[in-house]
Amino acid sequence: MTEAVKKAAGLLARSKCAMALTGAGVSVASGIPDFRSPGGLWDRYDPMAVATAEALARTPRRVWEFLLDAISVMGPAKPNGAHLALAELEAAGKLSGLVTQNIDGLHQAAGSRNVVEFHGGMGRYFCMGCGREHDPARARTLTAADIPWRCEDCGGVVRPDVVFFGEAIPLDALDKSGQLALAADLIIVAGTSGEVVPAGLLPREIKARGGAVVEINLVESAYKGLSDVTIAAPAEIALPALAALTLS
């Protein structure tokens, strides 16, 4: 890992405008398993039955059983070294911002300021009926007796502000991620296989314009052959090492 980190630190030090793209692998050390991995939520739930707007309208209690499970995993989670290192790089002016496919809010909790949540976040809730925003703290106190969560104003079902299957990526997230990528001459890819699009296309766009790709992944990804440097190590180990060397 050492030589790869040194090479990546050299690229990052010379970069005029770098960004990051993160996925589920960044939050595993915080106790949040990848939904798709063995033991993840998709081992226990059919995503088409619990993670679509149609399912929420048709069987809200079933969907909220899944959401309670997700909240119980994400609620106690704290930022790990990977989140903290990215926040440190941004604070030092070496990272213009990051795009994350995660919905756990841990980048913001770590101190990152320019965060584009490509798939929304579990820190915001709104009513499907009237659109009223609801207190996210309430979500963490819900029990099986309280679901589905309903709006006090209109009785509509309350949902998290996340992108369910079949829903479009928010235009604001597309716009902001596109702006970051257009300005970037380097992208750090951490903890994502690159298979989920359109977020997974960002490194290819930057590479096509002559930029560099630094990849941090434990397993082979869709970026094989594209990355200038591949660091085969956990994000919570590789990113702090990269930050320390870059900022030393």
Side-chain angles (χ1 to χ4, degrees):
M1 184 183 84
T2 304
E3 288 305 312
V5 171
K6 285 181 180 177
K7 184 177 179 182
L11 290 172
L12 185 55
R14 293 190 295 273
S15 167
K16 292 182 173 61
C17 185
M19 66 173 289
L21 169 66
T22 68
V26 165
S27 293
V28 170
S30 294
I32 304 175
D34 184 340
F35 281 21
R36 294 177 173 82
S37 67
L41 286 173
W42 298 151
D43 255 4
R44 304 194 298 279
Y45 298 94
D46 174 2
M48 292 301 104
V50 298
T52 69
E54 292 79 6
L56 189 54
R58 189 173 59 250
T59 54
R61 180 173 178 83
R62 185 179 184 188
V63 173
W64 261 102
E65 287 172 351
F66 156 71
L67 291 174
L68 282 188
D69 208 347
I71 291 168
S72 72
V73 173
M74 295 183 195
K78 304 296 182 186
N80 63 56
H83 302 105
L84 296 170
L86 289 169
E88 183 182 10
L89 286 169
E90 183 188 28
K94 295 308 298 179
L95 208 62
S96 61
L98 66 87
V99 175
T100 186
Q101 298 169 89
N102 299 339
I103 59 175
D104 51 43
L106 291 180
H107 285 300
Q108 294 93 322
S112 288
R113 300 177 64 84
N114 191 15
V115 180
V116 179
E117 291 181 312
F118 217 70
H119 297 148
M122 291 288 284
R124 299 178 301 278
Y125 293 82
F126 67 92
C127 172
M128 292 178 68
C130 66
R132 175 191 157 190
E133 292 188 10
H134 284 64
D135 185 0
R138 168 69 173 141
R140 295 189 289 274
T141 68
L142 295 173
T143 68
D146 304 315
I147 59 171
W149 185 5
R150 291 194 178 274
C151 177
E152 295 86 350
D153 287 351
C154 74
V157 177
V158 177
R159 60 166 283 179
D161 189 13
V162 299
V163 178
F164 280 139
F165 287 99
E167 293 184 322
I169 303 298
L171 290 177
D172 185 55
L174 286 171
D175 181 53
K176 289 179 179 178
S177 63
Q179 290 179 28
L180 281 172
L182 191 61
D185 59 12
L186 181 146
I187 184 168
I188 300 169
V189 180
T192 175
S193 65
E195 295 172 356
V196 178
V197 296
L201 299 177
L202 294 172
R204 299 187 183 280
E205 294 175 14
I206 292 169
K207 185 73 171 183
R209 289 195 294 270
V213 177
V214 172
E215 180 186 1
I216 299 170
N217 266 321
L218 277 171
V219 296
E220 187 175 297
S221 75
Y223 302 119
K224 182 180 180 181
L226 182 79
S227 303
D228 295 87
V229 183
T230 299
I231 304 172
E236 67 275 13
I237 293 174
L239 278 167
L242 176 59
L245 203 54
T246 301
L247 301 177
S248 63

